[in-house]
Amino acid sequence: MSRRKRDDGYEHGYRKRRRVVSEQAEIEDRLESLIIRVGDKTSSSLESNLEGLASVLEADLNTYKSKILRILSECPIQMPEKCTIYSTLVGLLNAKNYNFGGEFVEQIVRNLKEALREGQWESARLTVRFISDMVNCHIVSASSLLQLYDSFIDAAMEQGVPQVRRDWYMYALLTALPWVGRELFEKKENDLERIMAAMEGYLRRRNTAHVAALRVWNCDTPHPQEEYLECLWAQVRKLRTDEWQERHIYRPYLAFDSILSEALQHNLPVILPPPHTASTQYPLPWVVFRMFDYTDCPEAGPLLPGTHSVERYLIEEHLHQIITRHHNERKELATQLLAFPQRNKIPLEYMIVEVLFSELFQMPSPRYLEIAYGCTLIELCKLQPGTMPQVLAQATELLYERIDTMNATCFDRFVSWFSYHLSNFQFRWSWDDWQNCLSLEKDHPKAKFVSEVFGKCLRLSYYKRVTEMVPECYSPLLPPKPEPYFKYQIEGGNGFPGAAQVQTLTELLRKKPTPEEVLELVQQLPNPLKDDDGDMEPSHNPLAIEVFVQTLLHLGSKSFTHTFAGLAKYHSVFKNICENEEAQICMLRQVYELWQYHPQFLGVVVDKMLKTQIVECCAVANWIFSRDMAPEFTRSYIWEVLHLTIRKMNKHVVRLEKEVNDARAKLRAAPSDSESSDEDPTREAGEKRRRSNSHKEAAKDGGEQPTEEMVERMDERLEAAQSDQKNLFLIVFQRFIMILSEHVVRCDTDGKDFNTFWYQWTVGRLQQVFMAHHEQVEKYSQTLETLLFTHDLDSNILDTFRQFQALRS
């Protein structure tokens, strides 16, 4: 009986503890929900909500202080659009409880130091902005904030560090000033002017060689393209001229001025930026995108803020933050963008479109997948059918009119977006307005744009649909029907060398022979490279490659699946007849000859051959720059193939680097037998258990515990891959230099202007390789400068390399 009572008591206590824990978790969740949702639309005013929430939090501080501190310090960073709301809430709590205010300041300073140390630059920037706004709420003293600003200015003036590091510290200060500038102007005007003078001196001295590589257009008409720091500096200077009065930031703390002004303030501790290390990655610079001005917007509607008004920056930053929060859900993103606060005071649709295109065209790469922006614009058109399609059409016309000076990378993105957009709106467009492109030469950007759009539309539809969607006069720009060109089947095809063997091989392949049987037949073909004397053995047999590759791929041309099955089954035959680079280039010529009218299929086949190691990356690069491909050199699909080749090599190197690092980490974590102590049986048993667990973890991660020999072999593979990667970049850049230099010399000899459309496209593609793969190319920058981009190179080509170098300088 007593045993049962003890059991019942135990069960009762267990349930009670569980109930208490459950209640605590429930209260914590409720507090977190209240804090997160403050400022959302409700029936009551924001001021009353803030007062009520401050009272609730104050009552729970003793029990849930750490939870409240954590949430309140994270919310302004995760939801920066509510920065002033949370600073007001913390200000009210500080007025009620001075000790809590001090602990919160300590918490936010710890967060800032950690963000700087970990390289979380956007979190650090928003934290600095929030700390600045805390001065407005009398939480932080203005003098200690100025000390923080001084330490950032010192970091910006530091010598011997990359400019991108110094730029970030300057950017963090400039973005914080609109929030606290008025307060500093009223209380610390002289110190504020001293800081402004230091900023101006820095901006005057900094190098801006990188700007040319980041511009969407290579001219400033009709809208100047300004580097982000220079543009922001102009906006802050304009704000200073207006005595730091702006008209966008919502400041709820003004309603509580009488309460907050009586609160005691806290001093920030000394915050020293962490030193620069070679492994630290800083945000890259960018150029501010401008597409509209007030003349493009309807006269009856609200005015578009000026380029150098701080309101333009604040609104655009807010829109970028909405994109950051909701980019994974296009419908929610479109809804949130259109629900922008104060939307009746600005031409919202124009600003949304401009911001989305600025992200799409951002160099060197957009923040998110390109298709995400296309999906968002489609959702916006659905939600706002009365205005958004017209604004988007106007933007498209403006981009088309300026396409003559658009860089090659943004040109490709514009083509991809526009063709995708058309495919979602039944390919309807006012094609008659663009008929002027028909009278231009084929390499003119407008003619090239329309032609490339038709080619991309073909990937998203079918040939008859594309031919029906445009007026008949556009037929010269339409792509050919996407089908294989098998020369042995055309009229007179029997006269080509190897025609009889093609027929024999076709009949054999239809019987599903073994690879050995196919190889035996292919090896019987005569080699046209073999001289009569037979002194030298040719490196490959072009006739055997032509017959085998064209026949096999033609039989598999019905679908990707058929082609992939043929490549897989006869992989050994490919490897046997294409042992070296010359043979692989010869094979790629045959692939191109068969699929020259179907660029998409050509790209997929080459990609598959790279994955299965039928061809090497260097062979693909040399093939693209060969004279055989000269007629296709300005077409976009060729550069798609080159970039997928480079990316494949880069991924291979990254994968090997990860494997080596993981193996080294496991090797370091594995205890050696000599570390065990014979004198301490307990420790020895613990070491054995640890060793056993280590082996188990290694097995779980996918392999046995690595040894020194295994790691050395992995290092050798990594070094070989890095050597191949370096060689690939050397080939690509050397070929660019050769063809560009030959073009310049030829034009000088003939007395012609070298700056042709072909030259502009080729330089644009060179710049595209630098920018698209800047992280990998950076590793070999010194080698490229020593071997290829030397001082005796033509300045027009060398400038592109100098711009790339300045990107991370």
Side-chain angles (χ1 to χ4, degrees):
M1 190 72 178
S2 60
R3 174 69 179 271
R4 187 180 299 114
K5 285 182 179 179
R6 281 197 299 273
D7 288 348
D8 290 346
Y10 173 80
E11 290 293 333
H12 174 72
Y14 178 68
R15 284 198 302 270
K16 186 176 181 180
R17 281 196 299 275
R18 283 191 60 185
R19 186 164 60 249
V20 169
V21 171
S22 177
E23 287 175 358
Q24 285 182 338
E26 192 176 318
I27 293 173
E28 288 182 357
D29 291 343
R30 183 174 62 85
L31 288 174
E32 183 171 356
S33 177
L34 287 172
I35 295 172
I36 290 173
R37 288 189 293 109
V38 66
D40 293 350
K41 286 185 178 179
T42 58
S43 56
S44 55
S45 67
L46 175 61
E47 288 75 13
S48 63
N49 285 341
L50 284 170
E51 280 185 310
L53 180 56
S55 299
V56 169
L57 295 179
E58 186 195 13
D60 290 327
L61 279 180
N62 292 333
T63 311
Y64 305 104
K65 183 188 293 183
S66 60
K67 179 81 171 179
I68 293 171
L69 280 171
R70 183 183 63 79
I71 299 170
L72 281 177
S73 63
E74 290 178 357
C75 281
I77 313 306
Q78 301 298 325
M79 295 177 283
E81 69 278 6
K82 293 184 180 182
C83 172
T84 57
I85 294 174
Y86 288 111
S87 62
T88 305
L89 178 58
V90 175
L92 293 172
L93 287 170
N94 179 60
K96 295 172 182 287
N97 189 324
Y98 176 76
N99 290 332
F100 173 80
E103 292 183 57
F104 182 81
V105 170
E106 291 175 2
Q107 176 72 40
I108 207 75
V109 167
R110 279 197 300 272
N111 291 355
L112 174 59
K113 289 180 177 179
E114 182 181 358
L116 291 172
R117 191 170 55 252
E118 298 295 327
Q120 298 169 353
W121 302 112
E122 184 61 9
S123 295
R125 184 184 72 85
L126 292 172
T127 304
V128 171
R129 194 180 79 176
F130 183 63
I131 291 173
S132 302
D133 197 46
M134 287 163 65
V135 173
N136 298 318
C137 302
H138 299 269
I139 306 166
V140 171
S141 65
S143 57
S144 66
L145 177 69
L146 289 169
Q147 289 176 357
L148 171 63
Y149 284 7
D150 284 333
S151 69
F152 273 41
I153 287 177
D154 290 342
M157 301 301 177
E158 187 180 354
Q159 298 299 315
V161 298
Q163 181 174 288
V164 283
R165 170 186 167 88
R166 293 181 281 140
D167 281 355
W168 181 86
Y169 283 98
M170 193 58 60
Y171 178 60
L173 293 186
L174 283 171
T175 58
L177 280 177
W179 303 80
V180 74
R182 181 66 185 178
E183 186 77 7
L184 296 178
F185 173 69
E186 291 176 350
K187 296 180 179 178
K188 300 284 184 179
E189 183 177 0
N190 292 335
D191 289 319
L192 179 59
E193 285 303 312
R194 174 178 54 79
I195 286 173
M196 292 289 286
M199 289 179 174
E200 186 173 17
Y202 171 78
L203 290 165
R204 205 175 279 156
R205 293 188 300 270
R206 64 192 288 267
N207 177 23
T208 56
H210 57 274
V211 174
L214 300 172
R215 291 159 61 106
V216 176
W217 297 285
N218 58 30
C219 74
D220 286 329
T221 306
H223 305 299
Q225 296 174 79
E226 296 178 285
E227 205 257 0
Y228 77 113
L229 272 183
E230 293 180 349
C231 182
L232 184 55
W233 171 243
Q235 291 165 335
V236 170
R237 277 193 308 173
K238 174 70 166 57
L239 182 62
R240 178 175 61 176
T241 304
D242 297 335
E243 296 187 339
W244 301 95
Q245 298 278 9
E246 49 73 39
R247 298 180 298 277
H248 177 73
I249 299 175
Y250 178 54
R251 302 180 186 271
Y253 36 75
L254 295 177
F256 301 100
D257 186 60
S258 59
I259 300 173
L260 298 176
S261 60
E262 295 179 359
L264 295 175
Q265 295 177 316
H266 304 271
N267 289 323
L268 295 170
V270 176
I271 301 173
L272 296 176
H276 168 69
T277 62
S279 60
T280 307
Q281 295 292 320
Y282 301 98
L284 295 177
W286 69 91
V287 168
V288 178
F289 180 80
R290 290 280 181 262
M291 185 163 54
F292 298 120
D293 59 27
Y294 69 95
T295 61
D296 297 310
C297 304
E299 294 181 5
L303 287 176
L304 183 71
T307 298
H308 287 160
S309 69
V310 78
E311 286 79 15
R312 185 76 169 261
Y313 164 75
L314 293 171
I315 295 167
E316 288 172 346
E317 184 192 37
H318 194 164
L319 291 171
H320 284 299
Q321 289 166 349
I322 293 173
I323 294 171
T324 301
R325 285 191 64 193
H326 304 288
H327 68 274
N328 283 324
E329 182 49 62
R330 66 184 190 278
K331 292 186 178 181
E332 181 63 21
L333 173 56
T335 303
Q336 292 296 328
L337 287 172
L338 291 173
F340 188 82
Q342 305 178 29
R343 57 187 175 277
N344 297 325
K345 297 180 181 179
I346 57 172
L348 181 60
E349 290 85 357
Y350 285 86
M351 297 201 73
I352 289 174
V353 169
E354 187 174 72
V355 165
L356 285 171
F357 275 115
S358 75
E359 292 223 358
L360 176 63
F361 292 145
Q362 184 174 338
M363 297 290 288
S365 59
R367 289 199 296 164
Y368 309 113
L369 292 175
E370 291 179 32
I371 198 171
Y373 302 104
C375 293
T376 303
L377 287 167
I378 290 170
E379 291 299 327
L380 288 166
C381 290
K382 292 177 180 178
L383 290 175
Q384 203 86 349
T387 55
M388 189 57 75
Q390 289 83 352
V391 174
L392 198 52
Q394 185 179 346
T396 306
E397 289 287 353
L398 290 173
L399 291 171
Y400 175 76
E401 288 304 317
R402 295 192 64 184
I403 204 169
D404 298 16
T405 59
M406 183 179 280
N407 75 41
T409 302
C410 294
F411 176 91
D412 288 346
R413 296 178 196 168
F414 185 27
V415 167
S416 296
W417 167 76
F418 186 57
S419 54
Y420 171 73
H421 193 77
L422 287 177
S423 71
N424 281 273
F425 290 93
Q426 302 176 1
F427 297 100
R428 288 178 298 187
W429 186 251
S430 52
W431 296 106
D432 293 338
D433 297 341
W434 289 359
Q435 285 191 22
N436 63 331
C437 71
L438 298 172
S439 59
L440 304 172
E441 56 181 285
K442 67 173 186 176
D443 280 340
H444 189 284
K446 287 185 178 178
K448 180 69 68 177
F449 173 75
V450 174
S451 175
E452 292 290 346
V453 165
F454 291 160
K456 279 294 176 74
C457 287
L458 190 59
R459 299 188 185 188
L460 301 167
S461 183
Y462 52 95
Y463 185 71
K464 186 178 180 182
R465 179 72 183 87
V466 173
T467 56
E468 291 173 348
M469 80 180 189
V470 295
E472 190 176 345
C473 60
Y474 278 91
S475 56
L477 297 180
L478 285 170
K481 190 173 183 179
E483 55 187 7
Y485 173 75
F486 191 49
K487 66 181 183 181
Y488 296 101
Q489 280 190 343
I490 64 173
E491 186 177 349
N494 292 332
F496 288 114
Q501 289 87 347
V502 166
Q503 183 63 34
T504 305
L505 182 59
T506 301
E507 294 173 359
L508 178 64
L509 288 171
R510 284 180 174 146
K511 297 176 183 177
K512 297 182 172 49
T514 63
E516 290 75 16
E517 292 173 316
V518 172
L519 182 60
E520 183 181 356
L521 174 60
V522 170
Q523 287 178 334
Q524 293 174 4
L525 287 162
N527 191 338
L529 298 181
K530 201 166 189 177
D531 55 22
D532 296 333
D533 298 333
D535 295 335
M536 289 184 61
E537 188 66 29
S539 61
H540 64 287
N541 186 341
L543 182 60
I545 293 172
E546 180 178 348
V547 168
F548 172 68
V549 172
Q550 290 226 16
T551 305
L552 179 67
L553 293 184
H554 178 252
L555 288 174
S557 62
K558 186 176 181 181
S559 69
F560 291 137
T561 305
H562 287 78
T563 298
F564 294 167
L567 293 176
K569 183 172 182 179
Y570 299 105
H571 183 270
S572 60
V573 181
F574 280 103
K575 296 293 285 184
N576 190 284
I577 65 175
C578 300
E579 292 180 317
N580 53 58
E581 188 173 300
E582 288 184 36
Q584 292 173 14
I585 293 173
C586 177
M587 178 181 63
L588 289 167
R589 288 196 197 104
Q590 301 309 317
V591 176
Y592 166 72
E593 186 173 341
L594 182 72
W595 287 116
Q596 57 187 299
Y597 299 134
H598 200 327
Q600 184 183 14
F601 215 117
L602 173 64
V604 171
V605 172
V606 173
D607 182 43
K608 189 66 174 179
M609 286 181 164
L610 283 167
K611 285 180 180 176
T612 53
Q613 298 181 346
I614 292 174
V615 294
E616 301 296 328
C617 294
C618 292
V620 176
N622 278 316
W623 164 66
I624 287 173
F625 285 95
S626 66
R627 295 192 180 279
D628 296 323
M629 299 303 293
E632 305 290 292
F633 204 67
T634 59
R635 295 189 63 183
S636 295
Y637 82 90
I638 284 294
W639 303 103
E640 290 178 11
V641 173
L642 179 65
H643 288 299
L644 75 85
T645 302
I646 296 174
R647 281 194 297 270
K648 201 158 298 290
M649 174 62 77
N650 294 343
K651 287 179 181 178
H652 177 57
V653 171
V654 169
R655 181 176 58 81
L656 291 179
E657 286 175 345
K658 184 178 183 304
E659 289 177 359
V660 169
N661 291 336
D662 290 347
R664 283 176 178 159
K666 289 178 182 178
L667 197 60
R668 285 194 300 268
S672 62
D673 293 336
S674 60
E675 292 175 353
S676 299
S677 173
D678 295 334
E679 298 176 3
D680 190 347
T682 306
R683 181 181 171 187
E684 185 177 355
E687 290 292 338
K688 287 182 178 179
R689 282 196 301 273
R690 197 150 61 87
R691 192 181 304 117
S692 174
N693 290 337
S694 177
H695 283 290
K696 289 179 182 177
E697 288 296 323
K700 190 188 298 183
D701 291 341
E704 59 187 74
Q705 181 68 24
T707 62
E708 289 283 359
E709 293 77 11
M710 291 171 62
V711 174
E712 285 178 8
R713 287 196 297 270
M714 293 170 73
D715 268 328
E716 291 173 1
R717 287 199 298 271
L718 175 59
E719 288 175 7
Q722 289 173 334
S723 177
D724 290 341
Q725 183 186 47
K726 180 180 179 179
N727 189 38
L728 175 61
F729 282 124
L730 286 172
I731 289 171
V732 170
F733 291 124
Q734 184 183 43
R735 291 304 191 111
F736 266 119
I737 290 171
M738 287 172 59
I739 60 174
L740 285 168
S741 300
E742 288 173 4
H743 171 80
V744 171
V745 171
R746 189 166 57 250
C747 289
D748 285 346
T749 305
D750 298 341
K752 297 179 181 178
D753 183 9
F754 70 88
N755 194 24
T756 61
F757 288 122
W758 180 92
Y759 176 83
Q760 292 170 10
W761 283 118
T762 306
V763 170
R765 296 305 179 183
L766 170 60
Q767 187 183 71
Q768 186 179 37
V769 173
F770 274 123
M771 300 303 285
H773 312 286
H774 62 94
E775 293 179 354
Q776 291 77 26
V777 179
E778 177 68 24
K779 302 174 188 174
Y780 311 112
S781 180
Q782 191 64 42
T783 304
L784 293 173
E785 185 173 18
T786 304
L787 297 180
L788 299 179
F789 294 94
T790 54
H791 294 292
D792 57 344
L793 194 63
D794 183 86
S795 60
N796 298 288
I797 305 170
L798 191 58
D799 283 347
T800 303
F801 181 64
R802 294 283 181 250
Q803 293 160 15
F804 161 73
Q805 284 185 312
L807 193 64
R808 290 180 180 273
S809 64

